[in-house]
Amino acid sequence: MNREYVPAEPASLAAATAEEEQDRRSKPEHEGLGSHRWYHVPCAELLNAAHQSVVVINGDVPVESACETLILNGISSAPVWDKDKNLYAGMFDYRDVVTYVLVGLSKDTPIDASASMEFKELVRLARSHEPVPAKLAADISQRNPFYSVIEQTHLLQVAALFSSTIHRVAVMNDAGLRGIISQSTVIQYLYKNIEKFPDVQSVFAKSIKELGLGTKSVIAVDGTTSVLDALKLMSKNDVSSLAVLSVTGGIIANLSMSDIKWVLRSSKFNLLWQTCLQFVGFIDSEQGIMDGRDKLPVFDVLETSTLGYAVGKMIATKAHRVWVVERAAGPPLSVVTLTDVFKQITPVLDPRED
Amino acid sequence: MSWDLDVFIEQLYRKQLLTENIIKELCEKTKELLVREGNVAQVAAPVTLVGDVHGQFYDVLEIFKIGGWAPSTSYVFLGDYVDRGYYSVETITLLVCLKLRWPDRITLVRGNHESRAVTQTYGFYAECLRKYGGPSVWTYFTDLFDYLVLSVVIDNTIFCVHGGLSPSIHTVDQIRVLDRFREIPHEGAMADLVWSDPVSTPTYSVAGPLGTDEKGDFAISPRGAGYIFGKEVTRKFLEVNGLGHICRAHQLCMEGYQILFDDMLSTVWSAPNYCYRAGNMASVLQIGPDLQRYFNVFGPCPDQDRDMHGRDIEFATGTDLRARYPGPGADAAADDPTVAAFRKKRASKPMVPGALRDPFEVDDTDFQPPPEGNIAKIVAQYFL
């Protein structure tokens, strides 16, 4: 499943309005006309700033091995190369691992007749305990397809994607895959260079309540739910994390799809049948020893906190979301994700500006 | 059972749990005591500072063996008494009893783990359930944690706190007016004091354009609460408040302690072989009557000593005060000339209660220093 994203034309480099021209003159330290708006920045510039090494997963290796690659490189997603078809078969991420695990453990659940060929093949292999190749599992969750852009493409093209369900794009050049740009890469770039992007600054200065992000239906489980049930709930509701609640209904922890890596790391499958509270306790404990410091069990902000503060927290903690609460350890009112941030800062595209 | 703190303490030294009702009463009485203490406790030298102990009960006994048993030595504990170790309940019960028995000789500062949110995931809640069959004991202790002081100043010179500094706190007086009698919030001055860390180079600054506060050197912490702060902020805090040094805990130190920012700040860590696997050393900071500072480094209690009643070792008889350290066995490590010889400390004369042990009394005649000269790191002798 290789959906190629071809940009129509790079956005015009010339300043379109008199206002932009004036801004350019008043800020001589900008490195060009294009960088006044964040979405005029070419992709290549972000990759230069990010210093990443490209990790590609061989499509024929089993899912467990692909998961190991993600863990060793500290990433949550990687492109999968299908050498038979000589193309990128898709993106492999932890959500695909969860789907694979749930399928493998669901001996009796009937498969929907409308499911794709790949999915039926995956189910067949998983249930007969045969290794499932990564290229089959990639994109099986249909939430993280392989989108590619070229180096010169401006972020404008990916902005719309990042405001929807796509969280990363592959940047190609003549030699092939140059790198991956994810929502995190862009947000970190913006945050570090915030003084160059006054329009983003003004959005970041507003509170979460003001921006209408303070209420959203959140998926939550109480601490005694088993990890397996929680994963099934996340899969069914198409979310990548959920809130773990105490007996009084306050949020005490967060469970993400990517936490599946702790189960796969040393094949601790018994963790799947523990309660969510025991599982997050185990994860926080291990992480704390690895880092030499413990962290708050849940990352939250108040409705009155600014979006900029929420973004800062997400960057500092390397989390992809923060929960919104009325008071510390209160019930979760909402969740702010990187997708929400992009929705706020990406302008509604005016066709006349191009 | 009649109410006798000395009996309770003797029981606890033998790692015997007290009943739920006694714990309830202990917590009530301690709250009455603590409510009269301000957010910033004033303590006089000589005193010994203890960092995170995290329920490692046997290692807490090691601390008393090395530093002196209460009340002969005055102690300031910098927080993180519970979670992770197997004996959080015994540890905190003991410390609470010692505080009640000798309130002027024991000071308990609040750490980030003295919180309902954190103890529910890091082990204390589960341990209380396991040992008492229900959450009542956890409730008594977490209610008590709301009363612990936030910081200590020793002889108007050394500022002690669990975590670190806050962009909202410029003077010690600002700490005095906080309302501490609550669960630790996730943001604000009280959160910062127990969650912040010093680093040499903050990476993400929360400078001007994003907010109304000019936080300057502070950056949002990867822990999800508090900030990371640098040298300039530390220097300014010391200058503005006429202080000489900040001592805190909160971060694991492989060597048991760490000195930063040209000795303006130090971290003391008192849980050796953290979680029974990190392989780190631990230390306590012994502060002498003239504010001399000495990091007394030690290793974990060896397995064979675990059931020995520590109180039987009396200072007056000049008993072996050999510090322990991790390894296949204490004796094997003792044979290693580079490490063992240097760490062997024998008190040549009876200890005066509260007096600082003079490291130059150490018998090191047959000691060869290692070629890299890393010994300087292990024993740090400072004079203000």
Side-chain angles (χ1 to χ4, degrees), chain A residues 53-112:
Chain A
S53 57
V54 182
V55 177
V56 176
I57 291 174
N58 175 352
D60 298 319
V61 304
V63 170
E64 288 83 352
S65 173
C67 188
E68 188 72 28
T69 306
L70 293 181
I71 294 170
L72 284 173
N73 288 284
I75 52 180
S76 56
S77 174
V80 179
W81 178 253
D82 185 341
K83 65 179 191 310
D84 297 331
K85 295 188 190 158
N86 209 42
L87 48 69
Y88 285 102
M91 297 290 274
F92 181 83
D93 63 4
Y94 286 120
R95 187 183 278 263
D96 297 322
V97 177
V98 170
T99 310
Y100 164 70
V101 168
L102 290 179
V103 163
L105 295 172
S106 65
K107 277 208 153 342
D108 311 314
T109 322
I111 300 301
D112 198 358

Side-chain angles (χ1 to χ4, degrees), chain A residues 44 65 77 79 109 130 146 150 156 164 167 178 203 318-319 321:
Chain A
S65 173
S77 174
T109 322
E130 287 177 50
F146 187 82
I150 56 174
L156 182 67
S164 68
H167 296 177
R178 165 83 200 277
V203 176
K318 296 198 173 80
R321 72 200 57 76

Side-chain angles (χ1 to χ4, degrees), chain A residues 1 7 45 79 84 109 133 137 151 159 167 178 180 199 248-249 255 257 279 293 310 313 338:
Chain A
M1 212 170 20
E45 188 175 316
D84 297 331
T109 322
E151 274 181 320
H167 296 177
R178 165 83 200 277
I180 307 284
D199 48 342
T248 49
L255 194 70
M257 282 256 181
F279 187 50
R293 57 185 169 197
K313 210 169 204 186
L338 289 174

Side-chain angles (χ1 to χ4, degrees), chain A residues 188 191 201 204 252 280-281 284-286 288-289 292-297 299-300 302 309 312-313 315-317 328, chain B residues 84 113 117-118 120-122 185-187 195 197 204-205 209-210 220-225 227 251-252 274-275 277:
Chain A
Q188 279 180 43
Y191 199 80
Q201 274 184 30
F204 278 6
I252 42 173
V280 298
D284 283 349
S285 252
E286 291 296 303
I289 299 180
R293 57 185 169 197
D294 293 336
K295 52 178 191 57
L296 254 186
F299 300 138
D300 55 12
L302 304 170
Y309 178 71
K313 210 169 204 186
I315 294 178
T317 56
Chain B
R84 296 181 161 287
H113 279 258
V118 176
Q120 277 185 67
T121 43
Y122 283 95
H186 291 182
E187 46 193 66
W195 280 99
D197 295 303
Y204 299 105
S205 6
L210 285 181
I220 298 183
S221 170
R223 295 190 194 239
Y227 290 87
Q251 271 177 304
L252 172 64
Y274 186 41
C275 300
R277 47 193 256 223

Side-chain angles (χ1 to χ4, degrees), chain B residues 132-147:
Chain B
Y132 287 92
S136 310
V137 166
W138 176 80
T139 312
Y140 303 147
F141 280 124
T142 48
D143 286 347
L144 170 63
F145 292 159
D146 290 345
Y147 287 71

Side-chain angles (χ1 to χ4, degrees), chain A residues 129-146:
Chain A
H129 300 298
E130 287 177 50
V132 175
K135 65 185 177 199
L136 210 54
D139 288 347
I140 211 77
S141 56
Q142 304 208 344
R143 284 284 259 140
N144 195 16
F146 187 82

